Amino acid sequence: MAKSTLLLLLHLHFLLLFISSSAAAASRPAFACAPESPAASLPFCGTSLPIRARVRDLVGRLTREEKIQMLVNKAAGVPRLGIAGYEWWSEALHGVSNVGPAVRFGGAFPGATSFPQVISSAASFNASLWEIIGIAVSDEARAMYNGGQAGLTMWSPNVNVFRDPRWGRGQETPGEDPTVSGCYAAAYVRGLQQPYGHNRLKLAACCKHYTAYDLDNWKGVDRFHFNAVVSKQDLEETFNVPFKACVVEGKSASIMCSYNQVNGIPSCADPNHLRNTIRGQWGLNGYIVSDCDSVDVLYNNQHYTSNPEDAAADTLKAGLDLDCGSFLAQHTGSAVQKGKVSDGDIDAAVTHTVAVQMRLGMYDGEPSEQHFGDLGPNDVCSSSHQELAAEAARQGIVLLKNSKRGALPLSTANLRTVAVIGPNSDATVTMIGNYAGVPCGYTSPLQGIGRYAKTIHQMGCTNVACTGDDQPIDAAVAAARQADATIMVVGLDQSIEAEGRDRESLLLPGRQQELVLKVAAASQGPSVLVLMCGGPVDVSFAENNRMIKSILWVGYPGQAGGAAIADVIFGAYNPGGKLPVTWYPEEYVEKVPMTTMAMRADPSKNYPGRSYRFYTGPVVYPFGHGLSYTTFSHSLARAPAEFAIPISNRLRANYVNLIELNRTVPVIHAQCDGLHILLHVDVKNLGRRDGTHTVLVYSNPPVGHSAPTKQLVAFKKVYVVAGRQIRVIIKIDVCKDLSFASVDGIRRIPIGDHNLQIGGELTHSISVKVDGLRI
Ligand SMILES: *[C@@H]1O[C@H](CO)[C@@H](O)[C@H](O)[C@H]1NC(C)=O
Ligand SMILES: *[C@@H]1O[C@H](CO)[C@@H](O)[C@H](O)[C@H]1NC(C)=O
């Protein structure tokens, strides 16, 4: 979000809201279609009519100017019809957030539960957790809406693929894998929206930022000017996957288009993307909104059109329905006068936005008399939600290293004191990352550890940047000398990785590495290193250091993060998180320009490729890495050895040649409905501690295609009691999971042996054929 002009306006807006807040609560304008409304008896207020008919009735009553003033986030009201203005911009990425101007904390709602940042929740690899968090957040948002302190249209989640480890907003995403990101998008959106009745919604979610947006500001290239050059193959197989899952599986009520251009066309002005792909192919039932000020950006910064009317026309005709900003309110009128925009274009946009408002109940009178009308202050920061935030934080913690002797969990038996050291050791606001709100309260790492042992606290660095000669490293070393064990909490915060701020290096900033090494060397007992950061860091120095017994990655673990960290360190909880991104060594980013979008390696250009799917060079830790205090083994109980893809008789007649040519079946030719393979996998807990484990299933397609070397096709998290074994049934969708996109962007299923890798040690080959054809 937010160019500085917009920010300024927003601050003013905040100020005004603040000044008038107490008055507003009391003398709030009546809700549209309340009994006293001048429109109460009109068809658009008729709750028994279908949404579509109500929308048509309302849009038919509006003047052109009224509709134009509804094309922006701060949509004007229509007093003559009893319709109040509406601020569309609310955010709920990992808890109700006040980044959007519709949300106000204070009064009956001083805060909301702040769940772990998304990259941390992703590390749980637990799809039901993602949905359950969505439900909790929607309870809180709906309660705040009922109390007049939030909107119902959340511009969350951010599901851009975390393509480059330097991206400042990678923390907001579910990571680098399209399968995980798609699954996250669908699960979180389902939770947030909780659809009910006929096409009704509790909240409207919005997956952003469509598409190929994952660069904020790197070496002078910023998102407002960046043209992402993306192949059809990468778009289909990587960048668009989470958005498709969001719309098709999650049924999201909205998509946000991004600032950047994709292959020379601003995302928000590309009819091929908005109208054809999102609305046409995927069937979006909802609205498309621009990132904030991006219509202004494509005119004023990118100079994509030579006059503002063309910018209005290009975006509306491309399929944009709502402008976060004011551009369309200002310039659509003159665009109509100049014949560039038709009333039909405007009606289409307003029809999409109003339909979502109606589905949310905004034209059904008082919220208190509606579904969810009983949600109130007691539902926000409730003890069950705060416990869920702590549980999510525990599930998201990843044990990266644990050497055999003197390692985690720490026993409190002989522990008199623990030295707690590092710039994030007493973190509070750092733990909630960006797009957060005001949390219910915090448990910092120092406080969490203090529940288990007596602590000696030293920051070691005055802040995460940790530069200059006067850093209190010596005091930290002295503390470590006095204690029986040392816990160092280091990492990053929003001053290093943030919106508008990409990194240039993957190393720990400033003198943090020196602090860690000196403290570990001086430590009397075991040294535990805790990394609090969103994006990956190159900590090879610590992985290779014998004095550092254990390393944890905790992401940005949310309001209860410190309690969760301590629960893991002292063994009250057995960690089971896994990395949702590859942790590359520093040399990787020295070789790879952030601006190169290509996923595939190109040896002729010395380009190593991106993510575990294409990059095969050295890593600090691989995607999917994560240890436990116990160990698990896998065995295959049942799986098919071959699989025949059904195709229609009509196609089969032409098929022999096509398959001989390329040995693939285009997914559109396959009869995909319900087509799947089931794997029955036994997971055994070999250790002495109960624990959770995520079974990851990768596929290696037959060779000779430009498919990923390896692709995660399924994952399932299970809890296994020590010494026991349980059976997990894993479903693989043949058309979705076993296909790849060829250079023309068309999805194809390769014929031949697909090798599945299950949980690291197991492999199983499935021979894929075409039904009724011998090859
Ligand atoms: C996934 O998360 C939910 C919600 O916290 C929890 O109830 C469930 O046990 C988790 N699954 C596993 C296998 O840990
Ligand atoms: C074969 O595959 C390549 C890329 O994978 C594609 O460009 C070509 O059009 C395909 N040929 C046929 C006949 O499908």
Side-chain angles (χ1 to χ4, degrees):
M1 235 88 311
K3 292 180 40 192
S4 52
T5 48
L6 183 74
L7 275 177
L8 197 68
L9 284 171
L10 283 174
H11 282 309
L12 276 172
H13 186 68
F14 264 123
L15 210 64
L16 290 173
L17 273 171
F18 188 71
I19 291 165
S20 61
S21 68
S22 45
S27 65
R28 207 171 156 177
F31 284 86
C33 303
E36 66 276 20
S37 158
S41 60
L42 297 176
F44 76 82
C45 290
T47 50
S48 59
L49 293 175
I51 299 278
R52 187 191 300 232
R54 298 175 65 189
V55 174
R56 200 183 308 123
D57 178 70
L58 172 56
V59 174
R61 292 173 192 281
L62 301 174
T63 67
R64 180 191 294 158
E65 192 49 30
E66 282 167 346
K67 286 182 279 197
I68 288 174
Q69 297 310 316
M70 293 167 92
L71 294 173
V72 290
N73 64 299
K74 200 170 161 32
V78 187
R80 67 187 177 88
L81 294 173
I83 298 169
Y86 178 66
E87 173 53 77
W88 281 84
W89 184 0
S90 292
E91 303 267 356
L93 184 68
H94 53 107
V96 181
S97 158
N98 52 1
V99 169
V103 172
R104 277 182 304 124
F105 287 108
F109 301 96
T113 311
S114 201
F115 293 92
Q117 181 57 291
V118 176
I119 195 78
S120 291
S121 292
S124 74
F125 279 78
N126 180 352
S128 31
L129 175 68
W130 303 333
E131 184 164 350
I132 291 167
I133 292 177
I135 293 170
V137 173
S138 76
D139 273 354
E140 300 202 351
R142 191 88 200 192
M144 288 183 70
Y145 170 77
N146 291 342
Q149 293 186 210
L152 290 176
T153 45
M154 303 294 147
W155 292 350
S156 311
N158 178 348
V159 298
N160 289 113
V161 166
F162 191 173
R163 174 187 58 99
D164 190 291
R166 291 162 285 196
W167 188 29
R169 301 187 72 178
Q171 58 178 301
E172 295 171 37
T173 77
E176 76 185 18
D177 181 63
T179 302
V180 173
S181 301
C183 184
Y184 177 86
Y188 189 67
V189 166
R190 266 197 300 270
L192 214 54
Q193 297 197 148
Q194 284 198 290
Y196 67 99
H198 285 293
N199 201 13
R200 292 305 193 106
L201 298 172
K202 183 180 177 192
L203 285 185
C206 171
C207 288
K208 62 191 185 184
H209 316 73
Y210 185 91
T211 191
Y213 163 54
D214 51 32
L215 176 150
D216 265 58
N217 195 344
W218 179 79
K219 296 192 177 174
V221 182
D222 72 45
R223 58 184 174 163
F224 305 120
H225 300 86
F226 181 54
N227 175 23
V229 177
V230 185
S231 71
K232 286 181 176 160
Q233 193 172 33
D234 286 343
L235 211 52
E236 166 65 29
E237 194 182 63
T238 299
F239 299 111
N240 281 358
V241 172
F243 291 96
K244 182 176 182 184
C246 172
V247 173
V248 176
E249 293 163 41
K251 307 257 185 287
S252 177
S254 176
I255 292 286
M256 177 183 284
C257 51
S258 56
Y259 291 114
N260 57 289
Q261 300 189 345
V262 177
N263 300 327
I265 305 177
S267 298
C268 294
D270 193 335
N272 193 31
H273 280 302
L274 308 192
R275 205 173 279 290
N276 297 349
T277 304
I278 300 175
R279 201 169 285 286
Q281 282 177 40
W282 300 344
L284 172 72
N285 174 17
Y287 69 98
I288 300 177
V289 59
S290 72
D291 202 342
C292 292
D293 271 352
S294 58
V295 185
D296 184 90
V297 162
L298 71 90
Y299 171 63
N300 276 313
N301 299 45
Q302 298 177 2
H303 309 295
Y304 182 70
T305 64
S306 58
N307 58 69
E309 289 80 14
D310 280 334
D314 283 4
T315 50
L316 285 169
K317 285 183 187 297
L320 186 73
D321 302 308
L322 187 72
D323 170 20
C324 177
S326 56
F327 196 93
L328 288 185
Q330 284 165 23
H331 300 291
T332 305
S334 59
V336 175
Q337 269 147 28
K338 293 184 178 165
K340 294 172 189 285
V341 165
S342 71
D343 285 314
D345 297 329
I346 298 169
D347 285 0
V350 174
T351 296
H352 292 144
T353 51
V354 168
V356 169
Q357 292 180 315
M358 288 217 177
R359 293 166 67 197
L360 288 163
M362 289 173 57
Y363 292 82
D364 297 349
E366 280 294 326
S368 60
E369 287 156 30
Q370 299 177 26
H371 248 83
F372 311 115
D374 54 349
L375 291 170
N378 290 341
D379 298 289
V380 181
C381 289
S382 61
S383 54
S384 64
H385 289 178
Q386 295 203 55
E387 171 47 30
L388 181 62
E391 170 63 17
R394 290 189 288 265
Q395 290 194 33
I397 292 176
V398 181
L399 180 61
L400 295 171
K401 172 184 180 182
N402 204 17
S403 42
K404 289 212 171 56
R405 283 163 54 83
L408 292 181
L410 293 184
S411 153
T412 49
N414 299 314
L415 220 56
R416 280 158 308 157
T417 53
V418 177
V420 182
I421 287 165
N424 282 340
S425 57
D426 200 18
T428 52
V429 70
T430 296
M431 293 196 298
I432 61 178
N434 67 352
Y435 282 79
V438 177
C440 320
Y442 290 110
T443 308
S444 77
L446 179 64
Q447 288 170 327
I449 294 162
R451 292 176 183 173
Y452 287 90
K454 188 166 175 293
T455 58
I456 314 174
H457 182 225
Q458 280 294 332
M459 291 288 281
C461 299
T462 50
N463 53 31
V464 292
C466 198
T467 52
D469 293 336
D470 53 353
Q471 295 297 330
I473 294 179
D474 291 344
V477 168
R481 279 212 181 92
Q482 293 167 41
D484 301 320
T486 303
I487 300 170
M488 291 174 270
V489 190
V490 305
L492 311 176
D493 66 14
Q494 304 300 308
S495 70
I496 308 286
E497 54 171 353
E499 181 163 18
R501 186 174 294 138
D502 299 326
R503 282 182 292 163
E504 287 188 13
S505 164
L506 300 181
L507 299 176
L508 287 173
R511 299 176 64 194
Q512 285 199 45
Q513 176 167 331
E514 175 191 341
L515 169 74
V516 171
L517 288 172
K518 284 186 171 159
V519 167
S523 214
Q524 294 307 294
S527 288
V528 179
L529 181 63
V530 177
L531 304 168
M532 186 182 287
C533 49
V537 284
D538 177 351
V539 287
S540 322
F541 78 93
E543 172 63 26
N544 299 331
N545 186 302
R546 277 179 36 251
M547 303 302 293
I548 299 164
K549 300 290 180 194
S550 312
I551 307 177
L552 293 170
W553 174 65
V554 301
Y556 292 125
Q559 63 173 46
I565 292 167
D567 288 344
V568 167
I569 289 176
F570 293 98
Y573 186 83
N574 185 357
K578 291 182 183 292
L579 290 180
V581 287
T582 304
W583 283 36
Y584 303 93
E586 177 74 351
E587 304 82 76
Y588 177 84
V589 297
E590 288 163 1
K591 270 191 284 203
V592 178
M594 199 176 168
T595 44
T596 304
M597 298 297 292
M599 296 302 297
R600 283 165 170 75
D602 184 349
S604 73
K605 291 184 183 146
N606 241 338
Y607 181 69
R610 295 181 177 279
S611 86
Y612 79 88
R613 296 158 63 226
F614 301 102
Y615 169 76
T616 52
V619 297
V620 180
Y621 298 110
F623 173 89
H625 176 67
L627 307 169
S628 164
Y629 295 154
T630 183
T631 50
F632 298 92
S633 70
H634 306 80
S635 54
L636 200 56
R638 182 143 42 106
E642 54 175 53
F643 187 84
I645 301 167
I647 58 172
S648 71
N649 289 334
R650 189 176 53 79
L651 282 169
R652 192 176 299 127
N654 303 322
Y655 237 64
V656 186
N657 283 335
L658 270 179
I659 288 177
E660 279 174 355
L661 274 177
N662 248 347
R663 297 183 62 77
T664 63
V665 178
V667 164
I668 47 165
H669 288 178
Q671 294 176 331
C672 288
D673 208 22
L675 210 60
H676 65 267
I677 289 169
L678 292 182
L679 305 177
H680 297 240
V681 181
D682 288 334
V683 179
K684 185 162 190 188
N685 182 339
L686 303 173
R688 274 177 296 179
R689 292 193 56 124
D690 303 349
T692 57
H693 174 65
T694 302
V695 182
L696 301 176
V697 181
Y698 295 93
S699 155
N700 297 111
V703 292
H705 300 282
S706 59
T709 12
K710 182 178 173 188
Q711 171 66 57
L712 185 73
V713 292
F715 58 93
K716 195 147 184 182
K717 186 167 195 158
V718 289
Y719 179 78
V720 194
V721 171
R724 296 280 183 77
Q725 169 174 304
I726 65 155
R727 182 156 298 178
V728 189
I729 298 178
I730 289 170
K731 186 171 164 178
I732 295 173
D733 180 318
V734 174
C735 291
K736 192 173 143 205
D737 298 327
L738 297 186
S739 63
F740 73 103
S742 45
V743 287
D744 47 12
I746 293 177
R747 276 208 174 258
R748 298 165 192 272
I749 309 167
I751 300 302
D753 288 346
H754 290 247
N755 286 305
L756 300 180
Q757 290 176 25
I758 304 148
E761 80 266 22
L762 252 191
T763 59
H764 176 71
S765 171
I766 300 180
S767 167
V768 174
K769 312 178 167 174
V770 180
D771 194 25
L773 287 183
R774 293 195 320 141
I775 329 163

